[in-house]
Amino acid sequence: MNCKHIFVTGGVVSSLGKGLTAASIGLLLKQRGYRIRMQKLDPYLNVDPGTMSPYQHGEVYVTEDGRETDLDLGHYERFTGIPCDRHSNYTTGRIYSNVIARERAGGYLGKTVQVIPHVTDEIKLAIREIEDDDTDIAITEIGGTAGDIESQPYLEAIRQYHHELGPGNGLFIHLTLVPYIRAAGEMKTKPSQQSVGILRSIGIVPELLICRCERPFAEEHRAKLALFCGVRPEHVIEECDVANSIYEVPLELMRQHVDEKILRLLELTPQAADMAGWREMVNRLIQPPNGEVEIAVVGKYISLRDSYKSIYEALTHGGIAAGVRLKIRMLESEEIEADGAAEKLGGVHGILVPGGFGVRGVEGKIAAIRYAREQKIPFFGICLGMQCAVIEFARNVCGLAEANSTEIAPGTPHPVISLLDAQRDVTDMGGTMRLGAYPCCLMPGTKAAAAYGPSEIQERHRHRYEFNPVFRETLESHGLVVAGLSPDGHLVEAVELKDHPWFVACQYHPEFKSTPVEPHPLFAAFVKAAAR
């Protein structure tokens, strides 16, 4: 059959959860036997989020093929289990870069290059990239909010695309807000009416309206939204805040038969849905059999939760695997520098130090790692977390008092972490790190090997600095275990300690490959160790 398309837009305010809603729809359609691909189109001018501050954008999600992308792609992969790639995220910067490159090459044959049709045509080419013979339904989420200047070319492009697809082949879904005004004791539909009005004014008529709300709305609200937004009453969907976990959202949408309604609008036959595994996972998450475990996450960007979105989700997945309720103590590493590790970390069952860039807060991370090592608290280091673990071990066990990374202290006499050889002549910041999936060979008898099972794995990377092999012999002679190596034996990908309940650190980012139904082996092993 021809590939069908679903376009998801948002209105009223940002951060309504378009990505979660799109991911939930993708999961439901996949579980009904359809082959799904997902995509996010972002209206900002950066070519990708790789050079954006975590405080501005949240985490940068990395795909298998090495594309730095929006964090919503993490939701897509965690919910559907379907890998995204470089075609799954386009920004205005990337779209315009393609247009300008084509113009410079003479690709427009002397025409005046304009937003319509040339930019909108480029956007349609991007959408077409996820349309192939192995895809039944393509889901494209449009970033931003209806009415934004930045989003207008995308809305015009999907209007054109929907028209070109013809009846029954495309579907507009609009996610909007129905706020509850506490002082008046009323829910208000007017913001949603205005949001849909903006779309209708440019030729986009949503066929399904998904309404975010704090509390269930009455039939009068549904009837009013249907009347003023031009949507059938049964196609006005209530999406209330869920009680326990975002993983309940697909089940709530399924309860309202959203997937069946979508398939009928696309002129497809609803097949039986297999959600038993997902329901079992949600039940285990809500009612864990083995008590509560508290994990400290010592990071540099803690004030914005989305900065470590995949870390928190992967820890939750580890909690599901261990059958425990997870409590996360979020700590800025600078707090540890100010107040001391014992003050801030007392009572936790495990300590995780995630990635980051720059000098700020590094000494706090190192202090947290020393506390975990000396107090025998299960520890998990990721990317910069592994580098800090190596620095801490070199200083406090090997006696290399000035050991450091050349990123932090370029003149250190003991550069136990140094720039990758391939990075020495790199000057551009965007898209130039070691990115994407690379193989890693695990050493027999290590905790990492026990967690994974297979002796060779593939994990995603995002870094410029690496373990300096010059210091490998010294560190190993004092008890550091090299647990993972690149196939050529040159790059140290994972380290651990023998005389410790569970102390593992890796240069790669395992959080990007964890899902609630298939928790990542290292996160599962870490949380189980903390539970013990």
Side-chain angles (χ1 to χ4, degrees), residues 400-479:
L400 305 177
E402 295 183 67
N404 218 320
S405 165
T406 54
E407 178 188 14
I408 310 304
T412 174
H414 306 298
V416 292
I417 303 295
S418 61
L419 197 64
L420 283 159
D421 290 342
Q423 293 285 318
R424 298 195 184 280
D425 297 322
V426 173
T427 55
D428 287 350
M429 297 294 289
T432 56
M433 286 185 273
R434 189 178 189 225
L435 291 165
Y438 288 88
C440 170
C441 298
L442 300 172
M443 302 299 106
T446 59
K447 291 181 175 68
Y452 278 102
S455 60
E456 184 168 317
I457 57 168
Q458 288 264 348
E459 292 285 2
R460 302 180 197 181
H461 293 247
R462 183 175 183 251
H463 61 101
R464 297 185 193 280
Y465 292 82
E466 186 70 67
F467 183 109
N468 188 344
V470 171
F471 291 89
R472 180 176 169 182
E473 184 177 340
T474 299
L475 293 166
E476 285 184 312
S477 68
H478 284 80

Side-chain angles (χ1 to χ4, degrees), residues 12 135 293 438 444 493:
V12 184
T135 304
V293 168
Y438 288 88
E493 302 281 33

